[in-house]
Amino acid sequence: MNKSWLLGGALLLSLAGNAFLGGMLLGKPAHRPMMASMHPGADTPRLKHMMQGMRQLPEEKRQQVREKMQQYAPQLRELAERNRQEFQAIQQKMLLPELPRRELEADFARQRELQGRMQAMNQQMLLDIAGLLTPQQRAGLLKSAKH
């Protein structure tokens, strides 16, 4: 298989995982089992540390963070869905007897553009969330994310 195709697939899975991971981190503990089943490896030590960091925030801040994530969620879901569709189209074309190289190059370009938009939106959301927190709260979340 082509290394760039595998790398593109890994990047897609990573971005999709990041979108869901944010929701899992900020969800109430009662929702965690459902979300954990949607994301393999959700019981990793790193995720547990990050969840602990979120639990240390006051409820008012957690609610503000949840609201900020909900504000971005529809756009992120739409981009993730479009990215998934691009990935499926690429997969189908890669399996054709004749490799449609130009079409695949255009598909990969669209996929890179979508992934860039998703990453930019995720970063904007993180900046918005960071703006809600005190420097000490941000430091606590960053510390918990390093484990």
Side-chain angles (χ1 to χ4, degrees):
M1 278 194 217
N2 187 341
K3 286 183 182 180
S4 63
W5 182 74
L6 290 173
L7 184 59
L11 184 58
L12 171 67
L13 291 174
S14 174
L15 287 171
N18 286 337
F20 287 109
L21 181 61
M24 288 177 13
L25 290 175
L26 299 175
K28 293 183 180 178
H31 295 127
R32 191 169 177 331
M34 178 188 69
M35 293 301 290
S37 67
M38 294 173 62
H39 185 75
D43 290 324
T44 62
R46 183 175 182 190
L47 179 60
K48 287 179 182 179
H49 286 287
M50 292 174 80
M51 290 291 291
Q52 184 62 32
M54 285 303 300
R55 284 189 207 117
Q56 292 174 0
L57 290 175
E59 179 58 35
E60 178 185 337
K61 288 291 183 183
R62 282 187 290 190
Q63 183 60 35
Q64 289 175 336
V65 170
R66 276 188 216 105
E67 288 171 4
K68 188 59 67 176
M69 291 185 72
Q70 289 171 353
Q71 175 185 339
Y72 283 90
Q75 297 160 310
L76 287 170
R77 275 191 214 107
E78 178 188 340
L79 288 171
E81 175 61 22
R82 288 175 51 201
N83 197 28
R84 185 187 64 75
Q85 291 170 352
E86 283 294 330
F87 179 71
Q88 288 176 338
I90 289 169
Q91 279 184 318
Q92 289 176 353
K93 290 177 185 176
M94 292 293 277
L95 297 174
L96 293 174
E98 288 285 324
L99 190 67
R101 189 173 186 89
R102 289 182 194 256
E103 288 179 34
L104 283 166
E105 288 171 350
D107 291 343
F108 280 129
R110 278 191 302 277
Q111 190 177 43
R112 282 191 302 275
E113 189 266 333
L114 285 169
Q115 290 169 348
R117 288 175 56 197
M118 285 174 62
Q119 184 176 15
M121 190 170 291
N122 273 323
Q123 290 169 350
Q124 184 62 48
M125 180 179 66
L126 289 174
L127 285 173
D128 288 352
I129 289 170
L132 298 171
L133 305 175
T134 66
Q136 294 81 13
Q137 290 168 334
R138 290 191 303 266
L141 286 178
L142 289 173
K143 182 180 178 185
S144 67
K146 289 181 183 178
H147 288 90

